[in-house]
DNA sequence: AGGAAGATCTACT
DNA sequence: GTAGATCTTCCTA
């Protein structure tokens, strides 16, 4: 298991979205390592994209998207949180939403935090995986490539299946764009 | 100060 | 499939 380099995230979000598929999201939570393989992502492009949070300019909420590549952007929607990885250079507000994980370690902790037994339902959605890994607004703007951070993205050189590309989920604008990616045949994605 | 919208999830039918 | 929960942020007044 090796940490990722920050330079990985300086590329376009649709490139990063595919690169981090198959990598592992690692959370240090109360002396336990809670982790899962990233099996589903979505790209949100800088500016001019009506579906992106950054479309209407910089606000307190989307501040992290304007920051440097490789840091987290955590936002809340209804009663849940979702976590993104910021991409491209500082000042360009693009990001990749992590939509689903295949649980790897700390599964009992996930079950407690989620109050759900079925392993396929622990992390099969952006709000669910944040609950399972206890990711909150406190974790906004965490450097995911640093070994100092309590949330990281790492690689275990897993050889994954081919990547399926579809339209994004749950948004009302620009929903026709093919910017959602997931691992073919994986059982832990949020939907087909 | 109040209201509306949202990159969601669960529990029903 | 659809309703309802119920949080944060932004917009308007």
């Amino acid at each position: 298991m090796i940490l990722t380099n920050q330079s990985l995230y300086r590329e376009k979000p649709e490139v990063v979205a595919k690169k981090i598929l198959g990598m592992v999201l690692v959370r240090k939570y109360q002396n336990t390592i809670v982790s899962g393989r990233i099996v589903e992502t979505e790209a949100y492009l800088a500016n001019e994209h009506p579906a992106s949070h950054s479309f209407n300019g910089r606000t307190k909420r989307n501040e992290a998207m304007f920051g440097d590549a490789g840091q987290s952007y955590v936002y809340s929607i209804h009663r849940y949180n979702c976590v993104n990885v910021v991409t491209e250079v500082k000042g360009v507000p693009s990001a990749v939403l992590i939509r689903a994980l295949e649980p790897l370690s700390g599964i009992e902790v996930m079950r407690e935090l989620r109050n759900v037994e079925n392993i396929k339902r622990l992390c099969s959605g952006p709000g669910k995986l944040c609950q399972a890994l206890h990711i909150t607004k406190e974790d906004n703007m965490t450097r995911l490539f640093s070994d100092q951070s309590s949330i990281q993205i790492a690689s275990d050189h897993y050889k994954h299946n081919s990547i399926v590309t579809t339209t994004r989920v749950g948004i009302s604008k620009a929903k026709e764009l093919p910017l959602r990616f997931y691992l073919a045949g994986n059982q832990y994605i949020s939907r087909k």
Side-chain angles (χ1 to χ4, degrees), chain A residues 10-63:
Chain A
R10 296 207 198 270
E11 302 189 61
K12 297 278 183 192
E14 59 271 37
V15 175
V16 177
K18 286 188 264 196
K19 280 198 175 177
I20 66 173
L21 282 176
M23 291 189 185
V24 181
L25 186 63
V26 179
R27 168 62 154 165
K28 298 173 194 163
Y29 176 69
Q30 296 179 351
N31 299 326
T32 305
I33 299 293
V34 187
S35 69
R37 191 174 309 289
I38 299 169
V39 297
E40 180 180 341
T41 57
E42 281 180 5
Y44 286 87
L45 279 48
N47 296 327
E48 79 208 275
H49 260 270
S52 174
H53 284 177
S54 62
F55 180 59
N56 287 316
R58 184 171 184 151
T59 63
K60 189 176 175 187
R61 177 211 206 187
N62 64 24
E63 196 181 357

Side-chain angles (χ1 to χ4, degrees), chain A residues 61-75:
Chain A
R61 177 211 206 187
N62 64 24
E63 196 181 357
M65 288 185 87
F66 290 80
D68 209 355
Q71 68 173 352
S72 62
Y73 165 42
V74 181
Y75 70 91

Side-chain angles (χ1 to χ4, degrees), chain A residues 12 32 97 157 163 185:
Chain A
K12 297 278 183 192
T32 305
L97 171 66
H157 304 290
I163 294 172

